[in-house]
Amino acid sequence: MWDIVVQIFPYAIAYTIPLLMTALGALYCERSGVINIGLDGFMIVGSFAGALTITKLQQSMGPGNNMAIWIGLLVAAIVGAIFSLLHAFASINLNADQTISGTAINMMAGALTVFLARNITGSGNIRITLGFLPKSIPVLKDIPVIGPLFFTKTYATTWLVLAILIISAFLLYKTSFGLRLRSCGENPQASQAAGINVMRTRYMGVI
């Protein structure tokens, strides 16, 4: 039984990390006072842009070059942030129903990426030649119980996201930016009276 757990656990973490990253984005958005159920759409558009970038770069730089993957991840984050402006504009400027806006974004993202993928590749699939390879961390992987679970066959992005999680906790609860962001969500009228630009702060939260 323990052998099965050891084999499954690293992959469970790997599949949890993208959801954790999206949940962190939602945390900023919700704290600013904007309901966001368009997370699936942001993930789809971001991953599409990232995969397309990685594929094109791997064709020119070679499949074994990890720089192509890091650039693709950066592009995915930027494109996802730009796409989120649709939700921000509809929710903040137009005062549209935030649930309807998020649902529309989810539907739009799925249809748009399939359409683009079929026109770009002809098959609707964008295939990455080689992604990050899981690696075990020396010394730490030998720690009893914890080592085989957390430090064996881990991806670099797992530790990147965990670092972002720690930074986000500090940013939201230990900085003036986090205080302003949370105040805009809890009491926007008081925040406005205190001189905080609520609209700009909410835009930052959504992005």
Side-chain angles (χ1 to χ4, degrees), residues 33-192:
V34 178
I35 298 171
N36 190 354
I37 65 169
L39 301 171
D40 186 42
F42 300 152
M43 287 182 70
I44 291 171
V45 171
S47 59
F48 169 80
L52 182 61
T53 301
I54 293 170
T55 300
K56 297 298 182 182
L57 288 176
Q58 285 183 338
Q59 291 174 357
S60 59
M61 300 170 64
N65 195 324
N66 279 344
M67 184 57 66
I69 305 175
W70 287 113
I71 294 173
L73 289 175
L74 179 61
V75 170
I78 293 172
V79 171
I82 293 173
F83 193 69
S84 71
L85 289 172
L86 291 174
H87 183 61
F89 180 74
S91 302
I92 300 170
N93 292 83
L94 304 181
N95 291 321
D97 187 293
Q98 297 170 9
T99 303
I100 299 299
S101 172
T103 304
I105 284 174
N106 287 338
M107 297 173 65
M108 185 193 311
L112 178 64
T113 51
V114 169
F115 173 78
L116 291 175
R118 285 180 177 172
N119 280 273
I120 293 171
T121 65
S123 65
N125 296 319
I126 297 177
R127 301 187 183 280
I128 296 174
T129 305
L130 182 66
F132 284 119
L133 297 176
K135 296 180 180 180
S136 300
I137 301 177
V139 181
L140 295 180
K141 67 181 178 63
D142 297 323
I143 299 175
V145 183
I146 298 176
L149 295 179
F150 293 98
F151 303 111
T152 301
K153 296 181 180 179
T154 62
Y155 292 89
T157 46
T158 298
W159 301 106
L160 173 65
V161 172
L162 292 177
I164 293 174
L165 173 62
I166 295 172
I167 294 171
S168 296
F170 177 81
L171 193 64
L172 281 172
Y173 298 104
K174 300 296 182 181
T175 65
S176 57
F177 166 76
L179 179 62
R180 289 194 297 269
L181 186 76
R182 288 182 287 120
S183 67
C184 288
E186 294 170 5
N187 198 328
Q189 291 81 14
S191 300
Q192 191 76 45

